[in-house]
Amino acid sequence: MEFPFMQHALAAAIISSVVCALLSCWLVLMGWSLMGEAVAHSILPGIVLAHIFGLPMALGAFVFGMLAVLLIGGISGGSTLKHDTSIGVVFTSLFALGLVLISRTPSETHLTHILLGNVLGISQQDLLQTAGLGLATVAVLLALRRSFVLLAFDKVHAHTIGISSGALSILLLALLALTTVTSLQTLGILLVVAMLVVPGATALLLCRRFGQMLAVAATSAAVSALIGVYASYWLDISTGGSIVLAQSGQFALAYLFAPVKGMIPRLRQRRQRPASDRVSPTRPIDTFLDVKDPA
């Protein structure tokens, strides 16, 4: 690509998508996909307030992301409401607050850029910020990879060997907030939710070991970013939407044709087996990973 802004856009899109993809592996396995949506929507008022007071957008977004996590935990722990109900109350309330603040705050930042991203308008400074936050997130995820895997599969065993599941959960949620900030300008609030779920779901269908899952999710996200940026430039369509659609297309192919867990191979195997040998299908988690070897 000849133009610097296209180079910046492609680099930012790949970084954001890969970071989201790595984190999505844990979110999918732990059933925290809705939490990712909650954090992504809850940072909107933080962005607006940061703009009003002349503070970095990333700071406001991170603070409100963590505030959402604390509010969800407090409401769930201090009432009889279920966790998903608390998530729904918190993120819709904070998102509504953000919309109200935007409607009353004169700004050159368009609402569509906050919600849907504006990767083609990213500057070199924005790219450096995205790269720095993304690198920090990936470094923590990989450094504590074994502990996070134990948290996802066996909290009792993790506690037995001295790992604090509560502290790890808080750290993972903090990384979720940081990842949302990293991907904000590239994908926007609405579309970052998809990249926090779809790459991990795609890799889960294709892999049986967690190390493979991380590699497949990251590669799939990078390919989606490449396709999405080129498609948005040449076809004049939404960049974030193009990236998510490219990722969704890969998920559809994995869902249909994955060698073991794909729908078509499973239907073929079911037809080939005698009726007496047919058993109820196992859950994805039962066929996914040998917990004794979290690497």
Side-chain angles (χ1 to χ4, degrees):
M1 287 180 288
E2 300 178 0
F3 307 107
F5 78 91
M6 284 295 290
Q7 296 174 356
H8 293 165
L10 182 58
I14 291 176
I15 292 170
S16 300
S17 298
V18 168
V19 174
C20 285
L22 293 176
L23 187 58
S24 74
C25 294
W26 279 282
L27 296 182
V28 169
L29 291 176
M30 297 175 68
W32 282 12
S33 299
L34 186 58
M35 182 65 81
E37 180 178 1
V39 172
H41 285 76
S42 299
I43 66 175
L44 182 59
I47 295 171
V48 182
L49 290 174
H51 171 77
I52 293 174
F53 293 104
L55 298 173
M57 183 180 67
L59 176 61
F62 181 76
V63 169
F64 267 77
M66 293 307 301
L67 175 62
V69 169
L70 294 175
L71 287 174
I72 291 169
I75 294 175
S76 300
S79 68
T80 58
L81 295 175
K82 292 185 178 180
H83 193 60
D84 60 340
T85 303
S86 302
I87 290 175
V89 170
V90 170
F91 95 73
T92 52
S93 300
L94 290 178
F95 189 65
L97 174 61
L99 293 177
V100 170
L101 289 174
I102 283 180
S103 68
R104 300 297 299 172
T105 305
S107 172
E108 297 179 359
T109 303
H110 298 295
L111 175 61
T112 53
H113 289 171
I114 297 175
L115 296 179
L116 303 178
N118 183 30
V119 67
L120 293 180
I122 197 168
S123 65
Q124 185 173 4
Q125 182 179 357
D126 295 328
L127 176 60
L128 292 176
Q129 175 181 288
T130 298
L133 293 176
L135 181 61
T137 303
V138 172
V140 175
L141 283 174
L142 296 182
L144 299 177
R145 169 179 155 187
R146 291 178 178 271
S147 298
F148 283 135
V149 170
L150 280 177
L151 177 66
F153 286 97
D154 195 344
K155 290 184 179 180
V156 176
H157 179 61
H159 179 74
T160 302
I161 62 176
I163 296 176
S164 174
S165 59
L168 273 181
S169 297
I170 293 174
L171 178 57
L172 192 60
L173 291 172
L175 292 176
L176 173 60
L178 191 60
T179 299
T180 304
V181 173
T182 303
S183 308
L184 180 63
Q185 186 165 356
T186 306
L187 299 170
I189 291 175
L190 298 180
L191 296 177
V192 71
V193 177
M195 294 305 289
L196 284 170
V197 177
V198 184
T202 303
L204 182 61
L205 291 171
L206 295 170
C207 304
R208 296 181 62 87
R209 297 181 63 83
F210 192 73
Q212 296 172 347
M213 186 176 176
L214 289 175
V216 169
T219 302
S220 174
V223 171
S224 298
L226 182 64
I227 294 173
V229 170
Y230 271 107
S232 67
Y233 178 74
W234 292 110
L235 302 178
D236 193 22
I237 55 179
S238 166
T239 307
S242 301
I243 293 172
V244 173
L245 283 179
Q247 184 64 63
S248 299
Q250 294 181 66
F251 172 81
L253 292 174
Y255 177 79
L256 291 173
F257 302 109
V260 177
K261 302 174 188 176
M263 185 180 70
I264 293 177
R266 284 190 290 111
L267 288 175
R268 289 176 178 173
Q269 293 174 4
R270 189 176 303 175
R271 290 176 181 176
Q272 292 173 356
R273 289 199 304 267
S276 58
D277 293 340
R278 294 176 186 172
V279 295
S280 59
T282 56
R283 297 175 300 161
I285 201 69
D286 297 329
T287 60
F288 173 61
L289 180 66
D290 181 4
V291 181
K292 296 180 181 179
D293 182 16

